[in-house]
């Protein structure tokens, strides 16, 4: 059993003042990191010319019927996703460079055209400018697990808000983002260029990682130790471990079997009701 599951977890309630001060501190610290860390952040965009080889791809539906959620927030989310996708579509991630979601997307503001979309605040559904961009970060993170790129910063969701409905990915396979200190960062430790290709139509968000060289490996992502646990304070938590097997494409031999991440989230619905 993973040690994460044996550690106590309780909902945290912080005052608005503490949240505001904490947000200002961590936002400022992130700006300093971008300036002083010495990382080579990817910035070259070429949306017209795609690299020749597809390394990974995925798509997710833009609209879902969610209980007690205003559908207008989801329609607004599509606008937000189009704006954010335009900032990263065609990005070239060269060797030793790092992709930073927020450094490229920037702060989502009304002045830039962002609308109120669905956001989660301590497990509660509410509206906020630029809401819904987690769908884009989730997509990029999931695709990256099927490439040799290295996820160097990823934040898990602290709350499991909606019951499974036609779930095609394991629980805990996403990456939450909050401007700018809760970021998704991916580093290219390979000798090849990779390119991020993001598009939308009226129904789905589409993503691809493309490469300058044919893929040499293939990947299988799976979960283990899935557990719904009753906590002492009266609620439930959901837990699992996401793992990945890497295979050599030419021989089909497994190269490694590794743990990617461990997830733990407070469940915000009644898990025992079908």
């Amino acid at each position: 059993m993973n040690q994460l599951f044996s550690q106590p977890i309780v909902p945290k309630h912080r005052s608005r003042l503490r949240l505001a001060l904490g947000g200002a501190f961590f936002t400022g610290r992130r700006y300093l990191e971008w300036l002083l860390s010495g990382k080579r952040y990817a910035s070259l965009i070429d949306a017209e010319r795609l690299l020749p080889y597809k390394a990974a791809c995925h798509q997710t539906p833009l609209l879902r019927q969610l209980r007690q959620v205003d559908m207008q927030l989801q329609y607004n989310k599509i606008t937000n996703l189009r704006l954010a996708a335009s900032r990263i579509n065609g990005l070239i991630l060269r060797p030793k460079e790092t992709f930073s979601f927020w450094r490229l997307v920037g702060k989502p503001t009304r002045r830039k055209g962002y609308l109120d979309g669905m956001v989660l605040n301590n497990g509660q559904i509410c509206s906020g400018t630029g809401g819904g961009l987690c769908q884009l970060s989730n997509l990029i993170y999931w695709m990256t697990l099927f490439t040799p790129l290295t996820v160097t910063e990823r934040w898990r969701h602290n709350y499991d808000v909606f019951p499974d409905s036609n779930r095609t990915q394991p629980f805990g396979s996403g990456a939450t983002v909050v401007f700018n200190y809760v970021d998704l960062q991916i580093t290219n430790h390979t000798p090849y260029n990779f390119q991020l290709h993001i598009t939308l139509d009226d129904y789905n968000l589409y993503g691809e990682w493309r490469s300058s060289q044919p893929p040499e490996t293939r990947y299988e992502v799976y979960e283990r130790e899935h557990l719904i646990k009753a906590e002492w304070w009266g609620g439930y938590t959901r837990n699992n471990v996401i793992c990945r097997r890497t295979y050599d494409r030419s021989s089909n031999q497994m190269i490694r079997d590794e743990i990617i991440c461990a997830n733990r989230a407070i469940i915000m619905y009644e898990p025992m009701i079908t």
Side-chain angles (χ1 to χ4, degrees):
M1 180 70 66
N2 192 283
Q3 291 184 354
L4 173 73
F5 301 166
S6 62
Q7 298 172 357
I9 181 172
V10 295
K12 296 180 180 179
H13 301 285
R14 297 184 174 93
S15 68
R16 290 185 178 181
L17 177 61
R18 182 176 178 181
L19 290 172
L21 292 175
F25 171 78
F26 289 114
T27 298
R29 190 172 72 172
R30 176 67 74 184
Y31 281 122
L32 288 176
E33 177 194 318
W34 285 342
L35 289 172
L36 305 175
S37 68
K39 291 181 181 179
R40 290 173 49 192
Y41 288 102
S43 60
L44 176 62
I45 300 286
D46 188 352
E48 300 300 323
R49 294 175 295 181
L50 296 181
L51 294 180
Y53 300 100
K54 184 185 297 184
C57 64
H58 192 58
Q59 68 182 62
T60 55
L62 292 172
L63 299 174
R64 294 177 58 198
Q65 292 291 339
L66 301 175
R67 185 180 179 185
Q68 297 179 342
V69 175
D70 184 359
M71 283 300 295
Q72 186 59 50
L73 295 180
Q74 293 201 57
Y75 296 132
N76 291 352
K77 174 192 70 175
I78 297 175
T79 296
N80 297 339
L81 287 171
R82 290 190 189 279
L83 290 170
S86 70
R87 302 285 297 179
I88 62 176
N89 180 42
L91 176 75
I92 304 294
L93 185 59
R94 292 173 290 198
K96 299 183 180 180
E97 286 188 336
T98 294
F99 161 86
S100 166
F101 183 90
W102 284 124
R103 199 171 192 271
L104 290 165
V105 171
K107 186 174 183 179
T109 64
R110 292 188 180 278
R111 183 176 180 180
K112 296 177 182 177
Y114 286 93
L115 304 175
D116 282 346
M118 187 181 73
V119 297
L120 299 179
N121 185 5
N122 291 324
Q124 302 300 312
I125 300 168
C126 55
S127 64
T129 304
L133 295 187
C134 280
Q135 182 170 350
L136 180 55
S137 61
N138 290 341
L139 178 84
I140 295 171
Y141 174 72
W142 178 249
M143 291 193 304
T144 303
L145 298 184
F146 294 86
T147 74
L149 299 173
T150 303
V151 178
T152 49
E153 180 177 338
R154 173 258 182 181
W155 298 77
R156 59 184 170 88
H157 295 266
N158 290 323
Y159 295 89
D160 185 20
V161 180
F162 302 109
D164 292 354
S165 177
N166 300 319
R167 180 187 288 274
T168 59
Q169 301 167 217
F171 159 72
S173 58
T176 188
V177 288
V178 178
F179 185 83
N180 60 1
Y181 53 92
V182 178
D183 200 8
L184 173 64
Q185 295 194 11
I186 299 160
T187 302
N188 183 2
H189 291 306
T190 79
Y192 312 124
N193 288 342
F194 281 78
Q195 184 179 32
L196 189 57
H197 183 45
I198 302 292
T199 58
L200 296 83
D201 60 19
D202 292 336
Y203 307 100
N204 294 291
L205 174 66
Y206 302 92
E208 290 181 339
W209 273 117
R210 303 189 69 87
S211 174
S212 59
Q213 296 292 324
E216 299 174 348
T217 50
R218 68 175 181 87
Y219 302 89
E220 176 189 353
V221 179
Y222 65 98
E223 74 170 344
R224 73 183 197 201
E225 300 179 39
H226 183 267
L227 173 69
I228 293 178
K229 182 181 178 182
E231 300 292 343
W232 62 268
W233 42 267
Y236 294 87
T237 58
R238 189 173 185 177
N239 315 263
N240 76 350
V241 176
I242 302 295
C243 304
R244 181 175 70 174
R245 298 187 183 103
T246 304
Y247 296 88
D248 180 86
R249 279 187 177 270
S250 59
S251 65
N252 206 33
Q253 295 295 312
M254 187 172 69
I255 301 172
R256 70 181 65 89
D257 189 354
E258 60 188 325
I259 293 175
I260 297 297
C261 63
N263 299 290
R264 194 172 201 193
I266 297 172
I267 297 177
M268 302 304 293
Y269 53 88
E270 175 51 61
M272 302 307 172
I273 297 177
T274 303

